[in-house]
Amino acid sequence: MRTKISFFLVLLLNMTTAIFSQNTAGDNLFNNNTTHTIYVTFSQAGYLNLLKNNKVNDDNNGTSTYLPVTVIIDGVTVDSVGIQFKGNSSYYNYSTDKKPVTFSLDQYRPAQLYDSLNSINLNNFYQDATCMHEKLLLDFAQTKGLYAPRANYAKLYFNGTYWGLYLMVERINSTFLKDRFSNKKGNLFKGDGSSAACANLFYNSTISNYYNCYTLKTNTTTNDWTDLQNLTKQINNTSNGQFYDSLEAVMNTPSFIGAWAIYNLFIDFDSYPYRFVHNYYTYHNKATNKFEWIIWDASTAFGMDVFGTPAQIESTSVLYIEPQVTDRPLCKRMMANAIYKDKYLKTICSFATNDFLPSVFNPKIDALYNQIKNDVYADNQKMYSNSDFDTNINSNIGNTPGLKPFISNRSASVLAELTTLGYSNCSLISTAINEMSNYVVMNVVVFPNPTSDEFYINGNISFPAFLEIDDITGKKLSVENIRSNNQKISVANLDKGLYFYKLISNDGKQAIGKIIIN
């Protein structure tokens, strides 16, 4: 019982601070509303054909080939930078030469950085007339404290010619790991391998069977995949009674559940719970010894490539998993577990109630529109017309939902369904959990809250009781015996931030909540 209840102490609900610290790599490029400018100078004759040929050869042979170029970013010259085209559908299905790009700043000069970054990705808004789909989802993930790359706009020039407006997206690499987790020596796996759509987190007793479905991005010399194998074993091979405790021991589950909620809200179905089991990273965090979920490639947000009319897309159930629930073992088993299902519904309820609303998104959409419209108009290589760009902000184009109608209709649909499921107020403890666990919620008063160094608890408590304090990752920080009301609880040794407490009294009643230290 104690392990199950402590799950609620790691809720992502109402999380107001980003997980990564200030002054991280890339702050100048990503932490502002500025459209950046990148000039690329090629010395090679026929550089465009060289880039295209390299891309085809690399895809056929599993290699990675760069061209050396000079780059000027916001007026700062960086010599000997590697450039290559990247992508799959966004490359091969894009109708012009405005292909997605990767810059490797240290390809030819080891340790060369710009804004403390060694690489930069530029995405080309494939199938996105508004140029905002991925940006809005990734920005939303940042506000919820989830692990995801940051994104910002950049104008790209090739040998003085305007190549178009791009979305500059942070790379998931050792720099990202160090900034987000304060360590970078764990195994980072990308949910994409040489075989399409098999990174489904099924267990296999033969390690080599993982190699074609995932890509190990760190510690490649050691090449030890046993931690990923163990993660999948806990997902697939534990009994229903063991599943919760076993998974909690190896995975920071709120990082996945929060991402899952965002995938559903934004109808980003080119993601693990839905059409194709790829477009994610998972990192074995050395600080917690648990796997973290990292969002990646959100270019299909707002229902791109989803069959149906906009109305059908916008009314997708919050419980929907595609194509077969058995093909998504992590989602399947979480949905079959009352605690995890409750956690998922509370997370999506919190996001939908507080943030995924027209009143929040419409001003952001308007601000982005005004920021990029002149650069979009001047982009002669984009997939869509200027009229499409303007129209798709407020109206559907065929089966492509308009941004503002999507937010409005999706928000209304999700909130209505949550009400029918009993989650109209996103309460911390649901009826389903009460019925399953047979415990009674206890009302207590915690004061002062926020606090700086100590707090007290008062209520109808059956003593002795014990109090547990966890950080936002679910790490247990302290357990203290409580023998009377108004007993002083010292938190002077904790850093400023958001924490969760759980109080269990002698008669089995529970109290769960947040404590803020300032």
Side-chain angles (χ1 to χ4, degrees):
M1 178 71 68
R2 289 176 55 187
T3 306
K4 289 182 179 179
I5 300 306
S6 67
F7 173 81
F8 293 103
L9 304 184
V10 296
L11 287 174
L12 288 171
L13 306 182
N14 301 319
M15 194 176 289
T16 57
T17 58
I19 288 178
F20 55 91
S21 62
Q22 297 298 311
N23 300 316
T24 58
D27 278 354
N28 292 332
L29 289 176
F30 295 110
N31 288 2
N32 53 59
N33 296 322
T34 301
T35 300
H36 299 277
T37 303
I38 302 176
Y39 288 92
V40 182
T41 300
F42 295 87
S43 61
Q44 304 89 348
Y47 63 85
L48 188 57
N49 286 332
L50 288 174
L51 288 171
K52 291 178 179 179
N53 291 336
N54 287 345
K55 169 64 174 168
V56 174
N57 290 333
D58 287 344
D59 287 348
N60 289 336
N61 299 305
T63 53
S64 180
T65 307
Y66 290 87
L67 289 181
V69 294
T70 297
V71 174
I72 302 175
I73 306 174
D74 295 336
V76 177
T77 300
V78 188
D79 290 319
S80 302
V81 173
I83 186 174
Q84 65 179 193
F85 285 151
K86 69 180 188 73
N88 189 4
S89 296
S90 60
Y91 177 84
Y92 289 105
N93 296 339
Y94 206 94
S95 56
T96 74
D97 289 331
K98 183 186 173 182
K99 307 297 185 181
V101 173
T102 291
F103 293 106
S104 177
L105 298 163
D106 59 354
Q107 183 68 26
Y108 303 104
R109 292 187 177 181
Q112 178 168 258
L113 305 174
Y114 179 85
D115 197 14
S116 300
L117 298 172
N118 63 3
S119 59
I120 298 172
N121 271 356
L122 296 182
N123 295 347
N124 60 351
F125 309 112
Y126 174 63
Q127 293 186 315
D128 180 6
T130 69
C131 304
M132 299 184 201
H133 291 173
E134 188 167 22
K135 168 73 170 166
L136 289 170
L137 185 150
L138 293 179
D139 284 356
F140 187 86
Q142 299 298 323
T143 67
K144 307 316 295 180
L146 294 169
Y147 299 118
R150 292 171 290 174
N152 209 348
Y153 292 105
K155 295 181 290 183
L156 181 65
Y157 293 80
F158 281 177
N159 280 2
T161 299
Y162 182 44
W163 216 251
L165 182 72
Y166 283 77
L167 188 69
M168 180 170 50
V169 179
E170 197 172 11
R171 296 289 299 274
I172 308 299
N173 54 20
S174 59
T175 302
F176 180 96
L177 299 178
K178 183 178 180 180
D179 286 342
R180 301 318 197 270
F181 306 110
S182 300
N183 66 85
K184 59 181 182 179
K185 294 185 178 180
N187 281 346
L188 174 68
F189 295 96
K190 186 177 183 182
D192 271 308
S194 58
S195 297
C198 66
N200 44 32
L201 299 177
F202 278 120
Y203 171 72
N204 199 294
S205 59
T206 304
I207 285 284
S208 59
N209 288 337
Y210 289 81
Y211 296 164
N212 289 333
C213 299
Y214 311 85
T215 302
L216 178 60
K217 307 296 286 188
T218 58
N219 305 319
T220 54
T221 301
T222 304
N223 199 39
D224 182 2
W225 294 57
T226 55
D227 55 351
L228 179 63
Q229 184 185 44
N230 181 57
L231 171 66
T232 61
K233 185 175 182 180
Q234 305 313 313
I235 292 172
N236 293 272
N237 289 14
T238 53
S239 68
N240 290 337
Q242 297 172 326
F243 174 66
Y244 179 88
D245 291 343
S246 297
L247 186 59
E248 287 297 297
V250 297
M251 186 179 194
N252 176 24
T253 54
S255 68
F256 171 73
I257 293 173
W260 184 4
I262 286 181
Y263 296 147
N264 185 281
L265 281 173
F266 284 84
I267 312 294
D268 180 25
F269 280 5
D270 194 12
S271 57
Y272 175 82
Y274 303 108
R275 293 179 308 158
F276 301 114
V277 282
H278 66 169
N279 287 341
Y280 69 87
Y281 287 82
T282 187
Y283 175 61
H284 190 175
N285 187 346
K286 301 301 289 185
T288 62
N289 199 29
K290 294 184 179 183
F291 274 92
E292 311 280 357
W293 193 270
I294 303 172
I295 295 170
W296 179 249
D297 191 351
S299 59
T300 62
F302 292 84
M304 293 296 94
D305 284 342
V306 177
F307 179 79
T309 66
Q312 292 170 327
I313 293 169
E314 292 157 356
S315 61
T316 301
S317 171
V318 297
L319 300 176
Y320 177 65
I321 303 173
E322 184 188 35
Q324 296 290 332
V325 66
T326 54
D327 294 337
R328 309 292 186 268
L330 182 55
C331 296
K332 174 192 175 183
R333 299 209 68 187
M334 280 186 162
M335 277 296 188
N337 180 281
I339 294 178
Y340 282 136
K341 182 177 180 180
D342 183 73
K343 163 61 176 163
Y344 166 73
L345 289 172
K346 284 174 185 156
T347 302
I348 205 167
C349 180
S350 175
F351 292 176
T353 302
N354 299 306
D355 302 284
F356 195 83
L357 299 165
S359 59
V360 176
F361 270 88
N362 287 355
K364 293 181 179 180
I365 292 169
D366 289 339
L368 291 177
Y369 173 82
N370 289 326
Q371 177 185 340
I372 67 175
K373 64 179 180 180
N374 290 335
D375 299 321
V376 172
Y377 290 166
D379 184 347
N380 294 322
Q381 297 203 80
K382 59 182 177 290
M383 285 190 72
Y384 297 90
S385 68
N386 293 339
S387 177
D388 289 337
F389 167 68
D390 289 331
T391 299
N392 207 206
I393 302 295
N394 297 292
S395 303
N396 302 331
I397 297 179
N399 284 339
T400 302
L403 285 183
K404 290 182 179 179
F406 177 94
I407 296 294
S408 178
N409 296 332
R410 182 74 185 134
S411 171
S413 174
V414 168
L415 291 173
E417 183 181 9
L418 287 169
T419 298
T420 66
L421 294 171
Y423 288 82
S424 58
N425 60 357
C426 308
S427 58
L428 201 63
I429 305 298
S430 76
T431 302
I433 294 297
N434 280 324
E435 291 174 349
M436 182 198 71
S437 303
N438 294 319
Y439 67 78
V440 178
V441 180
M442 173 175 49
N443 292 321
V444 299
V445 176
V446 175
F447 62 95
N449 190 10
T451 184
S452 58
D453 56 0
E454 62 188 35
F455 67 93
Y456 303 84
I457 293 181
N458 199 334
N460 187 19
I461 305 169
S462 176
F463 300 103
F466 75 84
L467 178 77
E468 177 182 316
I469 297 178
D470 288 21
D471 66 16
I472 60 174
T473 71
K475 181 180 180 181
K476 185 188 297 184
L477 302 178
S478 66
V479 177
E480 186 163 347
N481 290 322
I482 307 297
R483 301 190 177 278
S484 65
N485 276 316
N486 299 321
Q487 179 175 326
K488 182 173 72 173
I489 312 299
S490 175
V491 289
N493 63 322
L494 298 181
D495 295 331
K496 296 179 181 179
L498 174 66
Y499 297 83
F500 294 91
Y501 69 84
K502 176 190 68 174
L503 180 71
I504 300 180
S505 69
N506 191 47
D507 58 2
K509 294 181 179 180
Q510 316 286 330
I512 298 171
K514 296 181 293 186
I515 186 77
I516 298 173
I517 300 176
N518 59 21

